[in-house]
Amino acid sequence: MTTAVTVDLREAEQFLYREARLADAFALEEWEALWTDDAVYHVPVDPDADPRTHMSIVFDNRGRIATRIKQLQTGRRHSQRPPSRLCRSVTNVEVLGADGGDTVVGSVVQVLESRDRGTTWWVGRVTHHLRRVDGELRMAAKTVVLVDADRALPTMSFLL
Amino acid sequence: MTTVDVDPARTDPLADRIRSLVLPDRVHGSIYTDPDVYARELERIWYATWVYVGHASEVPEPNDYVRKTIGPQQVVMTRDKTGAIHVLHNRCSHRGNLVCDADRGNAGSFRCPYHGWTFANTGDLLGFPFNQGYGGSRARAELPGLGVVPRVESYRGFVFASLAVDGPTLREHLGAAAERLDRLCRLSPEGEVELTAGWVKHEVTANWKMLVENETDGYHPQFVHSSIFSISGSGIGALYSDKSTAVTRALGGGHTENDLSPEFRRLGVPMGWAGTPEAKIPDYVAAMRATYGSETADEIMINGSPHVMIFPNLFVAEIQLFQIQPLAVDRTVQHVTAIQFAGAPDLNRRLVTQCVGSVGPAGMLLADDAEMYERNQRGVAQRQPEWLDLTRGLHRERVDDDGHTIGTATDETSMRAMWRHYRELMT
Amino acid sequence: MDELGVVANEFATVSVSVDDRGNGTRLRLEDLRTGTVRHLDALELESIVWAPESWMRALLDPSAHRWRDAERGPARESLDEP
């Protein structure tokens, strides 16, 4: 396993901010294009548990990320009808190291979600695995550990 | 002085009201929103009848324990040194502190963090610090231990508890629903289900009965879940149509099911119900044939898993198990886990993946169900037209060979049966 | 001395090791919340294995040992005889 960090902090931050903006705006195709072909999107209940044998809130491979996007695009994903109004901030960005050819970036995300049911504040620690593919930065993995992941959570059908 | 003959039922205005709100063909919106009705539900249903608490596989070893719930009540399910399962109220007998903090663990005894009172995992008080303050160790015999839920019984590893000292046995309570748990367990080559995949907890701003009704409502999938059916090529939608040979069945005792097995038999594909070709789970298929013989194994694998709502809080939906927990008249938590079959590791991994995609706050199915519960809760608070209609399929209901009322896949037979039972319990 | 591991639940945390510094081996138990240590030799361990359940239950009564005397209080917790 090589350990070369190939993405600097500034570039990582710009990527994270862009991803956040696209997700907030439901720019679905652009957001989906940020993923690599072998991507994994994970929102665990217990970050120490093996997601192949234990329940997660989200555990999507690339195919399922595509399905999630397509479901939103049908316009009949009722839990996003109308879409949540979202504004998220990404802070505490750190380059944590490298994993193979990926640069591992840590951050904190805070999302305010407004829906008819009320306003929900989602906060978690995020780990991105960033990789350069054909000169463009992509995410190979994104894990969001919500502060209250093991508690009862309301519906969360936007792109976290 | 005049004496009046008092009919006990007449002195119960809430019972009168409930009788007028729950009718054979409709229910009044306030049945979902009235705090007095909810308070009575706790007393008459949640703290009186058998309620599903947990599964024996969640406490596999002596002295294992897990925190569980009976409605809003916090309980601890323990397995003692001898292997017996107990359900204890999570409340110190001294000052009422919560005794157990961890969701799960292994402990033969529990010590309250407040003043050190110590209890066996059977509930017995073992002692307390500085016992001279109570006149010495003999006081131990006179002071209470942890509250013990009086009746705990299990069926095929499914542990139910009742806060009532007397009442029907669990087997009587389950009635025909027990056979559905048998059907589920037969899908394991070892004949057992294991709930070892952990839980996702999904909270909704809705009354618990919205969830119970929805679980076996075969009318909604084509609408609520059309977004996912239309893109995933899922055959689930077609199971719930007027052309489907599936039936909605009232099993008695408020238990209901969508019996999809006629459709699965018509398709005749082993594991077709799970959307998993045999070739992808060769070890499982081989183990099933080794246990049951080829013919019976194929029959079991074709018939598939039940879709049964065991009143009031256990819902088995083919590959996943839900436990419904009311917290308030308009707040409910749905606990969900992927069902795991003993002796089926290759199948089990697929079930976790499938289940995680479908259920919970971000689930491609359940997020939309939850949206409907919440919209429904807001809707029934509106004043007109007051009533919710329950007549769908009333004219075409019939009785099957086992004496159960059945309707077609999309009929509201299940809701009517649930409400009939509810009315009996509540009045 | 080989630490075998830590036995912990939400109520107690005890480190378990085999102490071989003497002429023979002993089990060393350390209550990590207070640093209090007890050694048990083979015969003591065998006796625990054979002790009746009522004996173990009696041992779990806080007034039986650590919190037996309100006058001494938590500051004087010890393994001394009363």
Side-chain angles (χ1 to χ4, degrees):
Chain A
M1 193 171 83
T2 58
T3 54
V5 169
T6 58
V7 182
D8 72 15
L9 179 62
R10 191 72 190 134
E11 192 184 9
E13 282 176 341
Q14 289 301 311
F15 181 91
L16 265 50
Y17 297 160
R18 184 155 62 98
E19 193 227 326
R21 176 167 47 79
L22 295 175
D24 279 352
F26 290 87
L28 302 175
E29 285 164 28
E30 286 173 84
W31 185 80
E32 189 185 352
L34 298 177
W35 294 96
T36 62
D37 291 342
D38 60 346
V40 176
Y41 171 33
H42 189 202
V43 183
V45 175
D46 172 1
D48 297 325
D50 180 349
R52 292 165 305 172
T53 54
H54 284 80
M55 295 296 288
S56 302
I57 298 160
V58 175
F59 185 52
D60 287 359
N61 61 12
R62 185 63 186 80
R64 193 174 277 169
I65 292 169
T67 304
R68 199 173 284 283
I69 297 291
K70 280 199 205 108
Q71 188 183 21
L72 289 166
Q73 285 169 332
T74 63
R76 298 193 305 277
R77 172 65 156 163
H78 296 282
S79 51
Q80 280 301 318
R81 256 184 73 175
S84 301
R85 275 166 291 162
L86 302 167
C87 189
R88 76 188 73 191
S89 62
V90 176
T91 62
N92 307 42
V93 182
E94 291 179 274
V95 174
L96 298 174
D99 179 10
D102 299 347
T103 299
V104 181
V105 178
S107 62
V108 169
V109 68
Q110 302 197 39
V111 192
L112 199 77
E113 180 194 23
S114 172
R115 292 192 63 70
D116 202 15
R117 77 159 183 247
T119 300
T120 314
W121 190 29
W122 303 90
V123 181
R125 284 213 168 259
V126 188
T127 308
H128 280 84
H129 285 229
L130 300 183
R131 186 186 304 165
R132 221 174 289 283
V133 180
D134 300 331
E136 295 285 322
L137 216 49
R138 297 272 180 269
M139 41 188 185
K142 177 180 179 180
T143 302
V144 185
V145 181
L146 291 167
V147 170
D148 42 9
D150 67 343
R151 293 184 178 278
L153 298 174
T155 299
M156 187 199 70
S157 54
F158 62 90
L159 301 168
L160 181 62
Chain B
M1 209 171 98
T2 337
T3 52
V4 180
D5 272 347
V6 180
D7 175 352
R10 306 314 303 175
T11 65
D12 186 350
L14 182 57
D16 289 344
R17 191 154 99 242
I18 291 167
R19 265 189 286 269
S20 72
L21 298 177
V22 179
L23 302 177
D25 59 350
R26 58 190 165 140
V27 289
H28 192 268
S30 64
I31 204 81
Y32 301 95
T33 59
D34 184 335
D36 294 338
V37 170
Y38 175 71
R40 175 160 296 204
E41 287 168 353
L42 292 181
E43 293 306 324
R44 295 287 182 91
I45 298 171
W46 295 91
Y47 305 158
T49 68
W50 288 103
V51 176
Y52 174 70
V53 173
H55 194 270
S57 60
E58 295 179 89
V59 286
E61 291 293 318
N63 293 341
D64 277 346
Y65 67 96
V66 283
R67 280 182 67 177
K68 289 286 175 183
T69 58
I70 298 176
Q73 291 289 307
Q74 300 278 336
V75 297
V76 186
M77 182 170 87
T78 69
R79 187 186 285 280
D80 72 20
K81 283 189 169 79
T82 70
I85 290 178
H86 307 267
V87 178
L88 310 170
H89 290 277
N90 193 359
R91 174 190 166 134
C92 181
S93 58
H94 173 222
R95 297 278 302 160
N97 212 278
L98 285 179
V99 171
C100 280
D101 221 19
D103 283 340
R104 56 212 296 271
N106 185 281
S109 56
F110 305 139
R111 180 163 290 165
C112 178
Y114 198 3
H115 302 93
W117 282 41
T118 302
F119 306 90
N121 59 7
T122 55
D124 293 350
L125 176 61
L126 296 176
F128 30 77
F130 314 133
N131 61 20
Q132 290 309 316
Y134 299 95
S137 63
R138 272 177 309 158
R140 196 172 55 215
E142 278 114 56
L143 290 164
L146 295 177
V148 178
V149 174
R151 291 193 300 155
V152 177
E153 286 183 31
S154 66
Y155 184 78
R156 303 298 299 251
F158 293 84
V159 180
F160 293 75
S162 171
L163 269 55
V165 175
D166 299 310
T169 64
L170 175 61
R171 199 64 190 72
E172 288 164 345
H173 167 81
L174 290 175
E179 192 279 328
R180 276 63 190 172
L181 295 178
D182 294 340
R183 179 175 160 200
L184 178 70
C185 292
R186 271 201 301 274
L187 280 160
S188 154
E190 295 172 13
E192 277 180 44
V193 158
E194 294 174 338
L195 300 188
T196 51
W199 297 86
V200 167
K201 299 173 218 167
H202 189 179
E203 181 165 341
V204 292
T205 310
N207 183 263
W208 64 276
K209 301 187 293 298
M210 297 280 186
L211 283 69
V212 173
E213 288 181 278
N214 185 69
E215 312 298 26
T216 51
D217 169 31
Y219 197 18
H220 82 276
Q222 296 244 18
F223 296 88
V224 176
H225 304 306
S226 72
S227 63
I228 193 66
F229 295 161
S230 67
I231 55 165
S232 65
S234 161
I236 301 176
L239 299 174
Y240 296 104
S241 68
D242 259 358
K243 288 190 195 118
S244 173
T245 56
V247 298
T248 303
R249 182 176 287 119
L251 296 169
H255 314 312
T256 61
E257 71 172 347
N258 293 125
D259 182 4
L260 306 175
S261 63
E263 280 290 298
F264 297 143
R265 277 194 293 276
R266 194 173 62 77
L267 302 170
V269 182
M271 303 310 287
W273 62 275
T276 303
E278 279 180 82
K280 298 222 169 168
I281 43 170
D283 295 349
Y284 170 71
V285 173
M288 287 294 284
R289 290 185 177 144
T291 300
Y292 299 104
S294 285
E295 202 176 321
T296 309
D298 279 5
E299 204 178 292
I300 294 169
M301 290 189 286
I302 287 170
N303 273 334
S305 191
H307 187 106
V308 61
M309 176 66 227
I310 298 179
F311 189 84
N313 74 328
L314 172 61
F315 175 42
V316 174
E318 289 89 14
I319 66 164
Q320 52 241 340
L321 180 148
F322 298 85
Q323 185 169 2
I324 296 168
Q325 181 197 8
L327 290 177
V329 68
D330 60 352
R331 274 178 71 210
T332 307
V333 176
Q334 182 134 264
H335 304 249
V336 58
T337 190
I339 290 169
Q340 303 281 275
F341 295 105
D346 55 344
L347 175 62
N348 287 343
R349 285 192 174 215
R350 297 184 66 89
L351 296 181
V352 169
T353 306
Q354 263 187 48
C355 177
V356 166
S358 302
V359 305
M364 296 193 204
L365 291 170
L366 265 290
D368 295 326
D369 288 306
E371 183 71 13
M372 291 303 145
Y373 313 144
E374 295 184 339
R375 291 170 64 101
N376 220 346
Q377 189 70 22
R378 293 200 294 276
V380 295
Q382 313 312 312
R383 294 184 62 86
Q384 289 294 336
E386 292 190 51
W387 295 88
L388 288 78
D389 181 83
L390 290 174
T391 57
R392 185 176 172 78
L394 190 55
H395 66 287
R396 57 185 178 187
E397 259 177 9
R398 55 197 198 283
V399 174
D400 70 10
D401 294 342
D402 297 321
H404 298 128
T405 304
I406 58 172
T408 73
T410 63
D411 287 348
E412 286 161 355
T413 305
S414 51
M415 293 179 195
R416 289 188 289 272
M418 188 281 274
W419 284 113
R420 198 158 51 238
H421 182 66
Y422 174 92
R423 197 173 192 267
E424 269 173 40
L425 294 174
M426 291 286 285
T427 57
Chain C
M1 195 169 65
D2 296 327
E3 193 189 26
L4 301 173
V6 173
V7 177
N9 60 25
E10 61 180 304
F11 308 106
T13 307
V14 176
S15 156
V16 182
S17 45
V18 174
D19 186 340
D20 53 8
R21 290 173 301 183
N23 291 346
T25 54
R26 297 174 290 172
L27 194 70
R28 181 182 184 276
L29 302 175
E30 179 176 352
D31 170 10
L32 292 178
R33 292 186 182 176
T34 63
T36 308
V37 172
R38 178 180 289 270
H39 281 92
L40 295 169
D41 69 20
L43 195 53
E44 285 171 324
L45 285 170
E46 188 200 67
S47 302
I48 291 172
V49 171
W50 280 95
E53 208 51 45
S54 60
W55 183 87
M56 287 302 295
R57 285 168 69 99
L59 203 56
L60 283 159
D61 180 349
S63 289
H65 42 84
R66 186 169 163 192
W67 293 288
R68 65 184 160 243
D69 183 349
E71 276 66 55
R72 279 153 46 110
R76 295 288 307 281
E77 290 166 12
S78 80
L79 300 177
D80 301 341
E81 293 305 320

